[in-house]
Amino acid sequence: MRDVAFEVNGKACRVAVEPRTTLADCLRHDLGLTGTHVACAHGVCGACTVLVDGEAVRSCLTLAVQMEGAAVTTIEGLSSEDGLSPLQAAFRKHGAVQCGFCTPGIITTMHALLTTEPHADEARVREVLSGNICRCTGYMAMVAAVLEARAAYQGAPA
Amino acid sequence: MNAPLRGPGNNFVGQSVERLEDMRLLRGQGLFTDDVSRPGLVHAAILRSTVAHGWLRGVDSAAALALPGVVAVITAATMGAKVPAIPMRLAPLDELEPYWQPVIAADKVRYVGEPIAVVLAESAAIAEDALELLVAEIEALPPVVDTATALADGTLLFEAQGTNLAVLYTAQKGEAQAEFPGAYVRREKMDTQRHTATTMETRGLLAEWDATTEVLRIHGASKVPFASRGMLAKQMGLPETSIEMIEVDVGGGFGMRGEFYPEDFLVPFAAKHCGRPVKWIEDRREHLLACNHAREFDCDLELVCSREGDILALRGTVNGNMGAYMRANVAVAPRNVGQFLSGPYAVPNVHVEVRALLTNKTPTGTYRGPGRFEADFFRERLLDLAADDLGIDRVAFRRRNLVKMAEMPYPLATVTPPKKEEKLDSGDYVMTMDLALAELDWDAKLPLQGKLIDGRYHGLGVACFIEGGAAGPRERARVELVEDGTVAVYVGSTLVGQGLETVMTQIAADAMECSMDTIRFFHGSTTYVSEGFGSFHSRSTVMGGSAILLAIEELRQRMREAAAARLGCKAEAVRLEEGRAVAPGGGALSWAELATAGLSGDGVFHNHTHTYAYGAHACHVAVDPRSGHVEVVDYVAVEDVGRMINPLALQGQIVGAVVQGLGGVFLEHLVYDAEGQLLTGSFADYLLPTATDYRSIRAVAMGVHTGAVGPLGAKGAGEGGIIPVGGCIANAVAAAFSGKVQPMSLPLSPSRLWAMIEAAG
């Protein structure tokens, strides 16, 4: 077992993990943050995407021990108890959620995109979104939701 | 159009209400199976056959048991004298029992992926490590991988049966085998490839045995938890009341999830065996190997038409590559191919034989639009070929042959077994086709057809469909007035990611004439109602929704009676308002006050007929002859579902279904080699549609011609969007090449299409 200390959703944490433990398993099973989902475990589908120092990262292909000193943000960290963020609200309004299993990874990925590129056009949104697989929606509603949510990121500090 | 269900108060039904379940799903607060944990949890991993066909001579588990952290290894030997088998849930026939799958391989393995042993360990990682230490001794036999080999019966999967033909379905109507002098006949061989649902959440189960109360509690049940409970009870020798199936959030169903699989016995058995809670979460490779496959059919069909363009007969044979066992719902797709070959068209004579053949591949089951996707591809291709040969415009040809409103109810061919008559119920089939063409701007785009523009050939396609829904036999609901003044609704329908909570809450709030916040909805788990039939065959809304209406009718009567007794008036004089029961004299009781009387209502909705939602798709494609790549420039799906409960949710399901269908047309293929090894075991080789693949998919959903099943007037929906996609796209590709390239086989992957284009010169 190895000790690793990092920040998750703004809080410092220290966990003892086997070196082979993925960040996804550590978040889900050691830290109880089950909003991060594992759907393929080989880095293709994007369901497990979290933010590491602001960058969208596949937590199934990242080892927990690599996180020493890093700041990790999960879907829980992008959500509030009171309601939905503008990005989440746009997803709901446009019917961009069906089974909801891929949704947390897509919200984290699109949040990372709009934070750095708040004026991303449809082609760019689709390009980045193509790294995440959704089996239910066919993506049309998601793209519409992300384009609408851009307004909330424009003018905000990156 | 539709009148409000209950006026003048609410009309949530028909509104694009934002989904209730989104609040938790968007914030990572959903509860999926792997999110459930228990103290003292043991993790299971499953050793699966690496050989497609062979005699299992033994399993050596000594080294695995010696690994620290391993709790137990379960094999067929652990089960004692008789290994239980998985019964067929739908369309069972006594003569198919020899082909049922044992829950764990005992003496023979019949597909790569078949469970041989279960390892239980203190962590999932140790359980997987231990798999490497298990040694299964298998004496290989020649594998049967295709239907031609299966038909030859040279190698048998079940020696004692003497054949690989499990069952033959015959779709029969009129005199299809008669001579039709002077008629036009087109005969073609076509096929669709093995692919499947591939949900984003893999399967998983958490089972715990409470020895004190003798209750087996299982998280991860879905789709048909009551049916699964009955099967498991019989296999385990327990009364049904000793098993609780708990439904949590479900990451996609599409027909695949929730049918009884070997693991649905093995994991509960393991929990009882070791006396600790056991969790098993399937990995993606296992999922592609072990979940029901679908869609692998080939056909040899003849379409007979008059020279004027009237369809006279449809006849021929279809072979289904069903995989190694007749499991759970494997019979649905081959039956449906026979049933739905004529689709929405008036075909007076049908004789189609569908052979369900056993092969050494993963067993098959339903995938959204089972049998209908395949049948639509075969039929819609034949229609275009016939129209071209006869010199008739293919839209005019369809318009001529679509079943007309005046012909409803229109009899379909009768499929034997089970020899149950089916009739198309209602609808204006021509109207949806015309609307699809108008939405696509068909006439304006026609001049592009067959033209090479900027290096790509353009083509248009059209295809029509019917979608069966509302399977019986019944559904049950219970509603209770709760002491805080809310209304609890319990129903036997299940959630498979389709927005069930929202749709059912809309229906219940309208019937109660209250806000949606006042409704609390509980579903699926076997602890809520005494029986339930689940979510398959597009049935939840029609069946569960109708049961809720009946239960609420009873509850409201009880509320009036209880209020009358306390307010001193007649029950029929009590007026129910939101949150209050008001007497004519002005006295009133709140719903919370009424609830102290313990008021509830039960509803059972029975149904033995099917609804048929219907519609048409039209598309515009551009094909690059140098690469075989097809761009779907525009795609329009039109469907009339009788009554829309939530148009936004419905449109979302249609668009999603179309894109799944496009995956099945262009990308998705479960490829096997000659030895019966699955070659596509990851998302890197089993390709699913992504956001850059299809950019213009449009759905026009409507509720025009209501269904005759239940008070809602809704028809089953959610599957229709996938059904005609293969035929529509293939017709467009053929049109792009002015008929010189004729796709008879799916998928239309770039390499396969490029080879066809090259061959056509």
Side-chain angles (χ1 to χ4, degrees), chain A residues 20 28 34-35 37 39 42 75 79-81 83 88 92-93 97-99 101 126 133 135-136 139-140, chain B residues 18-19 26-29 34-35 125 129 196-197 200 284 367 497 648 652 656 660 668 683 689-691 695:
Chain A
R20 65 176 172 178
R28 290 181 48 77
T34 55
H37 295 159
H42 51 260
I75 184 68
S79 306
S80 87
E81 282 302 313
Q88 289 166 331
R92 188 175 187 221
K93 177 183 160 192
V97 182
Q98 285 187 32
C99 83
F101 196 77
R126 283 189 178 272
I133 295 174
R135 189 57 164 158
C136 299
Y139 308 103
M140 298 294 296
Chain B
E18 292 192 347
R19 299 193 340 161
L26 277 161
R27 292 185 289 182
Q29 294 169 347
D34 193 29
D35 304 340
D129 290 344
T196 192
M200 289 314 291
R284 184 54 63 185
Y367 168 36
L648 184 66
Q660 277 189 341
E668 300 177 37
F683 279 167
T690 65
R695 293 159 189 257

CSV table of all heavy atoms in Angstrom, one decimal, chain A residues 20 28 34-35 37 39 42 75 79-81 83 88 92-93 97-99 101 126 133 135-136 139-140, chain B residues 18-19 26-29 34-35 125 129 196-197 200 284 367 497 648 652 656 660 668 683 689-691 695:
chain,number,residue,atom,x,y,z
A,20,ARG,N,-1.6,-0.3,-8.0
A,20,ARG,CA,-2.3,-0.6,-9.2
A,20,ARG,C,-3.7,0.0,-9.1
A,20,ARG,O,-4.5,-0.1,-10.1
A,20,ARG,CB,-2.4,-2.1,-9.5
A,20,ARG,CG,-3.2,-2.9,-8.4
A,20,ARG,CD,-3.3,-4.3,-8.8
A,20,ARG,NE,-3.9,-5.2,-7.8
A,20,ARG,CZ,-4.1,-6.5,-8.0
A,20,ARG,NH1,-3.8,-7.0,-9.1
A,20,ARG,NH2,-4.6,-7.2,-7.0
A,28,ARG,N,-14.2,6.2,-6.2
A,28,ARG,CA,-15.5,5.6,-6.0
A,28,ARG,C,-15.5,4.8,-4.7
A,28,ARG,O,-16.5,4.9,-3.9
A,28,ARG,CB,-15.8,4.6,-7.2
A,28,ARG,CG,-16.2,5.4,-8.5
A,28,ARG,CD,-16.5,4.4,-9.6
A,28,ARG,NE,-17.4,3.4,-9.1
A,28,ARG,CZ,-18.7,3.6,-9.0
A,28,ARG,NH1,-19.2,4.7,-9.4
A,28,ARG,NH2,-19.5,2.6,-8.5
A,34,THR,N,-19.3,8.3,-5.8
A,34,THR,CA,-19.8,7.4,-6.8
A,34,THR,C,-20.4,8.0,-8.0
A,34,THR,O,-20.9,7.4,-8.9
A,34,THR,CB,-20.8,6.4,-6.2
A,34,THR,OG1,-21.8,7.2,-5.5
A,34,THR,CG2,-20.1,5.5,-5.1
A,35,GLY,N,-20.3,9.4,-8.1
A,35,GLY,CA,-20.8,10.1,-9.2
A,35,GLY,C,-19.9,9.8,-10.5
A,35,GLY,O,-20.4,9.9,-11.6
A,37,HIS,N,-18.4,7.5,-13.0
A,37,HIS,CA,-18.8,6.1,-13.4
A,37,HIS,C,-17.7,5.5,-14.3
A,37,HIS,O,-17.0,6.2,-15.1
A,37,HIS,CB,-20.1,6.2,-14.2
A,37,HIS,CG,-21.2,6.7,-13.4
A,37,HIS,ND1,-22.4,7.2,-13.9
A,37,HIS,CD2,-21.4,6.7,-12.1
A,37,HIS,CE1,-23.2,7.5,-13.0
A,37,HIS,NE2,-22.7,7.2,-11.8
A,39,ALA,N,-17.3,2.8,-17.3
A,39,ALA,CA,-18.1,2.1,-18.3
A,39,ALA,C,-17.3,1.2,-19.2
A,39,ALA,O,-17.8,0.2,-19.7
A,39,ALA,CB,-19.0,3.1,-19.2
A,42,HIS,N,-11.1,1.1,-20.3
A,42,HIS,CA,-10.0,1.2,-21.2
A,42,HIS,C,-9.8,2.5,-21.9
A,42,HIS,O,-9.3,2.5,-23.0
A,42,HIS,CB,-9.9,-0.1,-22.1
A,42,HIS,CG,-11.1,-0.4,-22.9
A,42,HIS,ND1,-12.0,-1.3,-22.5
A,42,HIS,CD2,-11.6,0.1,-24.0
A,42,HIS,CE1,-13.0,-1.4,-23.4
A,42,HIS,NE2,-12.8,-0.5,-24.3
A,75,ILE,N,-17.7,15.2,-10.5
A,75,ILE,CA,-19.1,15.7,-10.8
A,75,ILE,C,-19.7,16.3,-9.5
A,75,ILE,O,-20.4,17.3,-9.5
A,75,ILE,CB,-20.0,14.6,-11.4
A,75,ILE,CG1,-21.4,15.2,-11.7
A,75,ILE,CG2,-20.2,13.4,-10.5
A,75,ILE,CD1,-21.4,16.2,-12.9
A,79,SER,N,-21.3,20.3,-8.7
A,79,SER,CA,-22.7,20.3,-8.4
A,79,SER,C,-23.0,20.9,-7.0
A,79,SER,O,-22.2,20.9,-6.1
A,79,SER,CB,-23.3,18.9,-8.4
A,79,SER,OG,-22.9,18.2,-9.5
A,80,SER,N,-24.2,21.5,-6.9
A,80,SER,CA,-24.6,22.1,-5.6
A,80,SER,C,-25.8,21.4,-5.1
A,80,SER,O,-26.5,20.8,-5.9
A,80,SER,CB,-24.8,23.6,-5.7
A,80,SER,OG,-26.1,23.8,-6.1
A,81,GLU,N,-26.0,21.4,-3.9
A,81,GLU,CA,-27.2,20.8,-3.3
A,81,GLU,C,-28.5,21.5,-3.7
A,81,GLU,O,-29.6,21.0,-3.7
A,81,GLU,CB,-27.1,20.7,-1.8
A,81,GLU,CG,-26.2,19.6,-1.2
A,81,GLU,CD,-26.6,18.2,-1.7
A,81,GLU,OE1,-27.8,17.9,-1.5
A,81,GLU,OE2,-25.8,17.5,-2.1
A,83,GLY,N,-29.4,23.2,-6.5
A,83,GLY,CA,-30.0,23.2,-7.8
A,83,GLY,C,-29.0,22.8,-8.9
A,83,GLY,O,-28.0,22.1,-8.5
A,88,GLN,N,-25.7,22.0,-16.3
A,88,GLN,CA,-26.6,20.9,-16.0
A,88,GLN,C,-28.1,21.3,-16.3
A,88,GLN,O,-28.8,20.5,-16.9
A,88,GLN,CB,-26.5,20.6,-14.5
A,88,GLN,CG,-25.2,20.0,-14.1
A,88,GLN,CD,-24.9,20.0,-12.6
A,88,GLN,OE1,-25.4,20.9,-11.9
A,88,GLN,NE2,-24.2,19.0,-12.1
A,92,ARG,N,-30.8,19.4,-18.8
A,92,ARG,CA,-32.2,19.0,-18.4
A,92,ARG,C,-33.2,19.6,-19.4
A,92,ARG,O,-34.1,19.0,-19.9
A,92,ARG,CB,-32.5,19.5,-17.0
A,92,ARG,CG,-33.8,18.9,-16.4
A,92,ARG,CD,-33.9,19.2,-15.0
A,92,ARG,NE,-35.1,18.5,-14.4
A,92,ARG,CZ,-36.0,19.1,-13.6
A,92,ARG,NH1,-35.8,20.4,-13.2
A,92,ARG,NH2,-37.0,18.4,-13.1
A,93,LYS,N,-33.1,20.9,-19.7
A,93,LYS,CA,-34.0,21.6,-20.5
A,93,LYS,C,-34.1,21.0,-21.9
A,93,LYS,O,-35.2,20.9,-22.5
A,93,LYS,CB,-33.6,23.1,-20.6
A,93,LYS,CG,-34.5,23.9,-21.5
A,93,LYS,CD,-34.0,25.3,-21.7
A,93,LYS,CE,-34.5,26.0,-22.9
A,93,LYS,NZ,-33.8,27.2,-23.2
A,97,VAL,N,-30.4,14.1,-21.2
A,97,VAL,CA,-30.1,12.9,-20.3
A,97,VAL,C,-31.2,11.9,-20.5
A,97,VAL,O,-32.4,12.2,-20.6
A,97,VAL,CB,-30.2,13.4,-18.8
A,97,VAL,CG1,-29.9,12.2,-17.9
A,97,VAL,CG2,-29.3,14.6,-18.5
A,98,GLN,N,-30.7,10.7,-20.7
A,98,GLN,CA,-31.7,9.6,-20.7
A,98,GLN,C,-31.4,8.6,-19.5
A,98,GLN,O,-31.8,8.8,-18.4
A,98,GLN,CB,-31.8,8.9,-22.0
A,98,GLN,CG,-32.6,9.7,-23.0
A,98,GLN,CD,-32.9,9.0,-24.3
A,98,GLN,OE1,-33.1,7.8,-24.4
A,98,GLN,NE2,-32.9,9.8,-25.4
A,99,CYS,N,-30.5,7.6,-19.7
A,99,CYS,CA,-30.2,6.7,-18.6
A,99,CYS,C,-29.3,7.4,-17.6
A,99,CYS,O,-29.3,7.1,-16.4
A,99,CYS,CB,-29.6,5.4,-19.0
A,99,CYS,SG,-27.8,5.4,-19.3
A,101,PHE,N,-26.0,7.4,-17.2
A,101,PHE,CA,-24.8,6.8,-16.8
A,101,PHE,C,-23.5,7.5,-17.3
A,101,PHE,O,-22.6,7.7,-16.6
A,101,PHE,CB,-24.7,5.3,-17.2
A,101,PHE,CG,-23.7,4.5,-16.4
A,101,PHE,CD1,-23.9,4.2,-15.1
A,101,PHE,CD2,-22.5,4.2,-17.0
A,101,PHE,CE1,-23.0,3.4,-14.4
A,101,PHE,CE2,-21.5,3.5,-16.3
A,101,PHE,CZ,-21.8,3.1,-15.0
A,126,ARG,N,-18.7,19.3,-30.9
A,126,ARG,CA,-18.8,17.9,-31.3
A,126,ARG,C,-17.5,17.1,-31.3
A,126,ARG,O,-17.4,16.0,-30.9
A,126,ARG,CB,-19.4,17.8,-32.7
A,126,ARG,CG,-20.9,18.0,-32.7
A,126,ARG,CD,-21.5,17.8,-34.1
A,126,ARG,NE,-23.0,18.0,-34.1
A,126,ARG,CZ,-23.9,17.0,-33.8
A,126,ARG,NH1,-23.4,15.8,-33.5
A,126,ARG,NH2,-25.1,17.3,-33.8
A,133,ILE,N,-18.8,8.5,-25.0
A,133,ILE,CA,-19.8,7.8,-25.7
A,133,ILE,C,-21.1,7.8,-24.8
A,133,ILE,O,-21.1,7.6,-23.6
A,133,ILE,CB,-19.4,6.3,-25.8
A,133,ILE,CG1,-18.2,6.2,-26.8
A,133,ILE,CG2,-20.6,5.5,-26.4
A,133,ILE,CD1,-17.6,4.9,-27.0
A,135,ARG,N,-25.0,6.2,-25.2
A,135,ARG,CA,-25.7,5.2,-26.0
A,135,ARG,C,-27.2,5.5,-26.2
A,135,ARG,O,-27.8,4.9,-27.0
A,135,ARG,CB,-25.5,3.8,-25.3
A,135,ARG,CG,-26.0,2.6,-26.0
A,135,ARG,CD,-25.3,2.5,-27.4
A,135,ARG,NE,-25.5,1.2,-27.9
A,135,ARG,CZ,-25.4,0.9,-29.2
A,135,ARG,NH1,-25.1,1.9,-30.1
A,135,ARG,NH2,-25.6,-0.3,-29.7
A,136,CYS,N,-27.7,6.5,-25.4
A,136,CYS,CA,-29.1,6.8,-25.4
A,136,CYS,C,-29.5,7.9,-26.3
A,136,CYS,O,-30.6,7.8,-27.0
A,136,CYS,CB,-29.6,7.1,-24.0
A,136,CYS,SG,-29.4,5.8,-22.8
A,139,TYR,N,-26.8,12.3,-29.1
A,139,TYR,CA,-25.9,13.5,-29.0
A,139,TYR,C,-26.6,14.8,-29.4
A,139,TYR,O,-26.1,15.9,-29.1
A,139,TYR,CB,-24.6,13.4,-29.7
A,139,TYR,CG,-23.8,12.2,-29.4
A,139,TYR,CD1,-23.8,11.1,-30.3
A,139,TYR,CD2,-23.1,12.1,-28.2
A,139,TYR,CE1,-23.1,9.9,-30.0
A,139,TYR,CE2,-22.4,10.9,-27.9
A,139,TYR,CZ,-22.4,9.9,-28.8
A,139,TYR,OH,-21.7,8.7,-28.4
A,140,MET,N,-27.7,14.8,-30.2
A,140,MET,CA,-28.2,16.0,-30.7
A,140,MET,C,-28.6,17.0,-29.6
A,140,MET,O,-28.3,18.2,-29.6
A,140,MET,CB,-29.5,15.7,-31.6
A,140,MET,CG,-29.2,14.9,-32.8
A,140,MET,SD,-28.2,15.6,-34.1
A,140,MET,CE,-29.2,17.0,-34.5
B,18,GLU,N,-39.8,18.8,-17.7
B,18,GLU,CA,-38.4,18.4,-17.5
B,18,GLU,C,-38.4,17.2,-16.6
B,18,GLU,O,-39.2,17.1,-15.6
B,18,GLU,CB,-37.7,19.6,-16.9
B,18,GLU,CG,-37.5,20.8,-17.9
B,18,GLU,CD,-36.5,21.8,-17.4
B,18,GLU,OE1,-36.1,21.8,-16.2
B,18,GLU,OE2,-36.1,22.7,-18.2
B,19,ARG,N,-37.5,16.3,-16.9
B,19,ARG,CA,-37.5,15.0,-16.2
B,19,ARG,C,-37.1,15.1,-14.7
B,19,ARG,O,-36.1,15.8,-14.4
B,19,ARG,CB,-36.6,14.0,-16.9
B,19,ARG,CG,-37.0,13.8,-18.3
B,19,ARG,CD,-36.2,12.6,-18.9
B,19,ARG,NE,-35.0,12.2,-18.2
B,19,ARG,CZ,-34.4,11.0,-18.3
B,19,ARG,NH1,-34.9,10.1,-19.1
B,19,ARG,NH2,-33.3,10.8,-17.7
B,26,LEU,N,-27.8,14.3,-13.2
B,26,LEU,CA,-26.9,15.3,-13.6
B,26,LEU,C,-25.9,15.7,-12.5
B,26,LEU,O,-24.8,16.3,-12.8
B,26,LEU,CB,-27.7,16.6,-14.0
B,26,LEU,CG,-28.2,16.6,-15.4
B,26,LEU,CD1,-29.4,17.6,-15.6
B,26,LEU,CD2,-27.1,16.8,-16.4
B,27,ARG,N,-26.2,15.4,-11.3
B,27,ARG,CA,-25.3,15.8,-10.2
B,27,ARG,C,-24.5,14.7,-9.6
B,27,ARG,O,-23.9,14.8,-8.5
B,27,ARG,CB,-26.1,16.5,-9.1
B,27,ARG,CG,-26.7,17.9,-9.5
B,27,ARG,CD,-27.4,18.6,-8.4
B,27,ARG,NE,-28.6,18.0,-8.1
B,27,ARG,CZ,-29.5,18.5,-7.2
B,27,ARG,NH1,-29.2,19.6,-6.5
B,27,ARG,NH2,-30.6,17.8,-6.9
B,28,GLY,N,-24.5,13.5,-10.3
B,28,GLY,CA,-23.7,12.4,-9.8
B,28,GLY,C,-24.4,11.8,-8.6
B,28,GLY,O,-23.7,11.1,-7.8
B,29,GLN,N,-25.7,12.0,-8.4
B,29,GLN,CA,-26.3,11.4,-7.2
B,29,GLN,C,-27.2,10.2,-7.6
B,29,GLN,O,-28.0,9.8,-6.7
B,29,GLN,CB,-27.2,12.5,-6.6
B,29,GLN,CG,-26.4,13.6,-6.0
B,29,GLN,CD,-27.2,14.8,-5.6
B,29,GLN,OE1,-28.4,14.9,-5.9
B,29,GLN,NE2,-26.6,15.7,-4.8
B,34,ASP,N,-23.2,-0.6,-8.8
B,34,ASP,CA,-21.9,-0.6,-8.3
B,34,ASP,C,-21.7,0.5,-7.2
B,34,ASP,O,-20.7,0.6,-6.5
B,34,ASP,CB,-20.8,-0.4,-9.4
B,34,ASP,CG,-19.4,-0.8,-8.8
B,34,ASP,OD1,-19.3,-1.6,-7.9
B,34,ASP,OD2,-18.4,-0.2,-9.4
B,35,ASP,N,-22.7,1.4,-7.1
B,35,ASP,CA,-22.6,2.4,-6.0
B,35,ASP,C,-23.1,1.9,-4.7
B,35,ASP,O,-23.0,2.6,-3.7
B,35,ASP,CB,-23.5,3.6,-6.4
B,35,ASP,CG,-23.1,4.2,-7.8
B,35,ASP,OD1,-22.0,3.9,-8.2
B,35,ASP,OD2,-23.9,4.9,-8.4
B,125,ALA,N,-9.9,-7.1,-7.3
B,125,ALA,CA,-8.6,-7.3,-7.9
B,125,ALA,C,-8.1,-8.7,-7.6
B,125,ALA,O,-7.5,-9.4,-8.4
B,125,ALA,CB,-7.6,-6.2,-7.4
B,129,ASP,N,-7.2,-11.7,-10.0
B,129,ASP,CA,-5.9,-12.4,-10.0
B,129,ASP,C,-6.1,-13.9,-9.9
B,129,ASP,O,-5.4,-14.7,-10.6
B,129,ASP,CB,-5.1,-12.0,-8.7
B,129,ASP,CG,-4.6,-10.5,-8.8
B,129,ASP,OD1,-4.6,-10.0,-9.9
B,129,ASP,OD2,-4.2,-10.0,-7.8
B,196,THR,N,-25.3,-5.7,-30.9
B,196,THR,CA,-26.1,-5.7,-29.8
B,196,THR,C,-26.3,-4.4,-29.0
B,196,THR,O,-25.7,-3.4,-29.5
B,196,THR,CB,-25.7,-6.8,-28.8
B,196,THR,OG1,-26.8,-7.1,-27.9
B,196,THR,CG2,-24.4,-6.5,-28.1
B,197,ALA,N,-27.0,-4.4,-27.9
B,197,ALA,CA,-27.4,-3.2,-27.2
B,197,ALA,C,-26.2,-2.4,-26.7
B,197,ALA,O,-26.1,-1.2,-26.8
B,197,ALA,CB,-28.3,-3.5,-26.1
B,200,MET,N,-24.2,1.5,-21.6
B,200,MET,CA,-23.0,2.2,-21.0
B,200,MET,C,-22.7,1.6,-19.6
B,200,MET,O,-21.5,1.4,-19.3
B,200,MET,CB,-23.2,3.7,-20.9
B,200,MET,CG,-23.2,4.4,-22.3
B,200,MET,SD,-21.9,3.8,-23.3
B,200,MET,CE,-20.5,4.5,-22.4
B,284,ARG,N,-16.1,-4.5,-19.3
B,284,ARG,CA,-16.6,-4.3,-20.7
B,284,ARG,C,-16.3,-5.5,-21.6
B,284,ARG,O,-17.1,-5.8,-22.5
B,284,ARG,CB,-15.9,-3.0,-21.3
B,284,ARG,CG,-16.4,-2.6,-22.6
B,284,ARG,CD,-17.9,-2.5,-22.7
B,284,ARG,NE,-18.5,-1.4,-21.9
B,284,ARG,CZ,-19.8,-1.2,-21.7
B,284,ARG,NH1,-20.7,-2.0,-22.4
B,284,ARG,NH2,-20.2,-0.3,-20.9
B,367,TYR,N,-32.8,-7.0,-28.7
B,367,TYR,CA,-32.2,-5.7,-28.7
B,367,TYR,C,-33.2,-4.8,-29.4
B,367,TYR,O,-33.7,-5.1,-30.5
B,367,TYR,CB,-30.9,-5.8,-29.5
B,367,TYR,CG,-30.3,-4.4,-29.9
B,367,TYR,CD1,-30.4,-3.3,-29.0
B,367,TYR,CD2,-29.6,-4.3,-31.1
B,367,TYR,CE1,-29.9,-2.1,-29.4
B,367,TYR,CE2,-29.0,-3.0,-31.4
B,367,TYR,CZ,-29.2,-2.0,-30.6
B,367,TYR,OH,-28.6,-0.8,-30.9
B,497,GLY,N,-33.9,3.5,-17.8
B,497,GLY,CA,-33.3,4.7,-18.3
B,497,GLY,C,-34.2,5.5,-19.3
B,497,GLY,O,-33.7,6.4,-20.0
B,648,LEU,N,-40.9,15.8,-25.5
B,648,LEU,CA,-39.4,16.0,-25.5
B,648,LEU,C,-38.7,14.7,-25.2
B,648,LEU,O,-37.8,14.3,-25.9
B,648,LEU,CB,-39.0,17.1,-24.5
B,648,LEU,CG,-37.5,17.4,-24.4
B,648,LEU,CD1,-37.1,18.1,-25.8
B,648,LEU,CD2,-37.1,18.3,-23.3
B,652,GLY,N,-36.5,12.5,-27.8
B,652,GLY,CA,-35.2,12.1,-27.5
B,652,GLY,C,-34.9,10.7,-27.7
B,652,GLY,O,-33.9,10.2,-28.1
B,656,GLY,N,-32.3,9.1,-30.3
B,656,GLY,CA,-31.4,8.1,-29.8
B,656,GLY,C,-31.5,6.8,-30.5
B,656,GLY,O,-30.4,6.2,-30.8
B,660,GLN,N,-28.6,4.8,-32.7
B,660,GLN,CA,-28.3,3.4,-32.4
B,660,GLN,C,-28.4,2.6,-33.7
B,660,GLN,O,-27.6,1.7,-34.0
B,660,GLN,CB,-29.2,2.8,-31.4
B,660,GLN,CG,-28.8,3.1,-29.9
B,660,GLN,CD,-29.6,2.3,-28.9
B,660,GLN,OE1,-30.7,1.8,-29.2
B,660,GLN,NE2,-29.1,2.2,-27.7
B,668,GLU,N,-21.3,-1.1,-35.9
B,668,GLU,CA,-21.3,-2.1,-34.9
B,668,GLU,C,-21.3,-3.5,-35.5
B,668,GLU,O,-22.2,-3.9,-36.2
B,668,GLU,CB,-22.5,-1.9,-33.9
B,668,GLU,CG,-22.4,-0.6,-33.3
B,668,GLU,CD,-23.7,-0.3,-32.4
B,668,GLU,OE1,-24.1,-1.3,-31.8
B,668,GLU,OE2,-24.1,0.8,-32.4
B,683,PHE,N,-14.2,-1.4,-26.7
B,683,PHE,CA,-14.8,-0.3,-27.5
B,683,PHE,C,-13.8,0.3,-28.5
B,683,PHE,O,-14.1,1.1,-29.3
B,683,PHE,CB,-15.2,0.9,-26.5
B,683,PHE,CG,-16.5,0.6,-25.9
B,683,PHE,CD1,-16.9,1.4,-24.8
B,683,PHE,CD2,-17.4,-0.3,-26.3
B,683,PHE,CE1,-18.1,1.2,-24.2
B,683,PHE,CE2,-18.6,-0.5,-25.7
B,683,PHE,CZ,-19.0,0.3,-24.6
B,689,PRO,N,-21.5,4.8,-32.2
B,689,PRO,CA,-21.6,6.2,-32.7
B,689,PRO,C,-21.1,7.2,-31.7
B,689,PRO,O,-21.3,7.1,-30.5
B,689,PRO,CB,-23.1,6.4,-32.9
B,689,PRO,CG,-23.6,5.0,-33.1
B,689,PRO,CD,-22.8,4.2,-32.2
B,690,THR,N,-20.3,8.2,-32.2
B,690,THR,CA,-19.9,9.3,-31.4
B,690,THR,C,-20.5,10.6,-32.0
B,690,THR,O,-21.1,10.7,-33.0
B,690,THR,CB,-18.4,9.4,-31.4
B,690,THR,OG1,-17.9,9.7,-32.7
B,690,THR,CG2,-17.7,8.1,-30.9
B,691,ALA,N,-20.2,11.7,-31.3
B,691,ALA,CA,-20.8,13.0,-31.6
B,691,ALA,C,-20.5,13.6,-32.9
B,691,ALA,O,-21.2,14.5,-33.4
B,691,ALA,CB,-20.5,14.0,-30.5
B,695,ARG,N,-24.7,14.3,-37.6
B,695,ARG,CA,-25.0,15.7,-37.1
B,695,ARG,C,-26.4,16.2,-37.3
B,695,ARG,O,-26.7,17.2,-36.8
B,695,ARG,CB,-24.0,16.6,-37.8
B,695,ARG,CG,-22.6,16.4,-37.4
B,695,ARG,CD,-21.6,17.0,-38.4
B,695,ARG,NE,-20.2,16.5,-38.1
B,695,ARG,CZ,-19.3,17.3,-37.5
B,695,ARG,NH1,-19.6,18.5,-37.2
B,695,ARG,NH2,-18.1,16.8,-37.2
